[in-house]
DNA sequence: TATAAATAGGATAAATTTATCCGAAATAAA
DNA sequence: TTTATTTCGGATAAATTTATCCTATTTATA
């Protein structure tokens, strides 16, 4: 469904959010440990989350990654996916035609559209906040 | 969503079905032209469709790929996807946890599950027949 | 039986994604 | 101001996916 990069990005953002509730910044090292991902690769993905204003970073000693507390409920899963995987999942054709076009549809267009619209809807209506709360409450996990 | 190989496989199967209605066998060359795919790679994918009993092949002169007419309505999109991409799309975790497990869910499990189940449902209830008919009727396309 | 036509399949190459490494730049604290 | 710490970003490598090439095998027909 999503690329590895995107999976790491989502999980990293969720972990950063849980820590930000406690006013703590986190390093790529700690993030990679907690979400079970390769550290250097994760650091790269964090950079693109920063460039896309999904998380913020503070350089230097005592720095790290964080998310402003009042932003956690504003960030949608869709933003993270779009930042990392682009929007092909939304506008691309399920069978690989140049683009998904009602006027020149692939044979599975109507079927795909329903599923894809639901996916898009889900991503746009799911906030980092609710995902992070699932972690904080102990009812969901970021690894294994 | 699907791999390139899977997209090609689905489109190839649809094209073979349309030709099989006219009792015609088709070559990888013709298939690749009609679905706009690399020929040799498409030939490889056709081999796995044959191994998975989705299409049948006839070697030698006047041979080619075909689907028994009465099987076209039996073949589900799900079989093709499973043959080529495996079942990770059905049983895998959307955030990349080892496996999707109600008892050890990722923070997005409940949200993903809804979309994934709908995708699975769609794939299992969509037949090659209806897709091929969309092509025959001219209301859908396999390339550009 | 010989020939031509067609799929099967192994070996290899190109492209993309995933992953690692290392030095540069920034920053807080001593 | 110096030092230690930390993110940034470019270069590179490994792994996977996508794509190509060539030969073997099969089969219908002449
Ligand atoms: S044209 Fe293929 S999904 Fe819309
Ligand atoms: S555990 Fe992640 S989708 Fe089910």
């Amino acid at each position: 469904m999503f690329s590895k990069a995107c999976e790491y990005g989502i999980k990293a953002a969720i972990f950063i959010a849980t820590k930000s509730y406690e006013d703590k910044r986190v390093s790529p090292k700690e993030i990679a440990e907690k979400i079970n991902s390769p550290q250097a690769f994760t650091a790269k993905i964090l950079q693109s989350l920063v460039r896309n204003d999904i998380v913020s970073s503070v350089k230097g000693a005592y720095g790290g990654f964080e998310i402003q507390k009042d932003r956690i409920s504003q960030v949608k899963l869709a933003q993270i996916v779009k930042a990392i995987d682009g929007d092909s999942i939304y506008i691309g054709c399920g069978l690989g035609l140049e683009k998904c076009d009602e006027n020149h549809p692939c044979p599975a267009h109507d079927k795909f559209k329903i599923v894809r619209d639901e996916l898009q809807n889900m991503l746009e209506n799911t906030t980092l906040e609710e995902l992070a709360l699932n972690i904080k409450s102990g009812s969901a996990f970021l690894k294994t």
Side-chain angles (χ1 to χ4, degrees), chain A residues 91-97 99-102 104-110 112-113 116:
Chain A
I91 65 174
C93 165
L95 293 187
L97 298 199
K99 61 180 195 304
C100 176
D101 178 357
E102 293 280 353
H104 190 88
C106 71
H109 172 81
D110 291 346
F112 271 125
K113 191 170 180 354
R116 185 157 43 89

Side-chain angles (χ1 to χ4, degrees), chain A residues 6 20 22 50 52-54 62 64 88 112-113 122 127 143:
Chain A
C6 194
S20 291
E22 307 165 12
V50 170
N52 285 277
D53 296 313
I54 290 158
Y62 291 77
S88 67
F112 271 125
K113 191 170 180 354
M122 182 275 272
T127 66
K143 63 174 175 178

Side-chain angles (χ1 to χ4, degrees), chain A residues 4-55:
Chain A
K4 279 283 167 199
C6 194
E7 290 175 1
Y8 298 153
I10 293 169
K11 288 189 284 191
I14 294 170
F15 178 68
I16 295 167
T18 64
K19 287 296 190 175
S20 291
Y21 281 123
E22 307 165 12
D23 297 305
K24 285 183 183 153
R25 292 174 185 155
V26 286
S27 64
K29 182 163 183 291
E30 184 181 4
I31 295 169
E33 280 163 3
K34 294 297 169 50
I35 71 173
N36 197 34
S37 67
Q39 180 180 329
F41 188 45
T42 305
K44 281 273 187 287
I45 296 156
L46 287 168
Q47 286 181 38
S48 67
L49 291 183
V50 170
R51 277 192 296 269
N52 285 277
D53 296 313
I54 290 158
V55 307

Side-chain angles (χ1 to χ4, degrees), chain A residues 61-125:
Chain A
Y62 291 77
F65 295 88
E66 65 184 6
I67 308 184
Q68 304 308 315
K69 259 182 280 193
D70 58 1
R71 290 222 57 224
I72 297 175
S73 62
Q74 305 303 312
V75 175
K76 306 294 193 302
L77 211 40
Q79 294 171 254
I80 302 177
V81 172
K82 188 166 183 179
I84 301 175
D85 279 352
D87 51 13
S88 67
I89 200 167
Y90 305 125
I91 65 174
C93 165
L95 293 187
L97 298 199
E98 261 173 23
K99 61 180 195 304
C100 176
D101 178 357
E102 293 280 353
N103 299 314
H104 190 88
C106 71
H109 172 81
D110 291 346
K111 302 259 180 174
F112 271 125
K113 191 170 180 354
I114 294 169
V115 175
R116 185 157 43 89
D117 286 355
E118 180 159 323
L119 171 62
Q120 180 167 14
N121 202 58
M122 182 275 272
L123 294 173
E124 282 173 355
N125 288 292

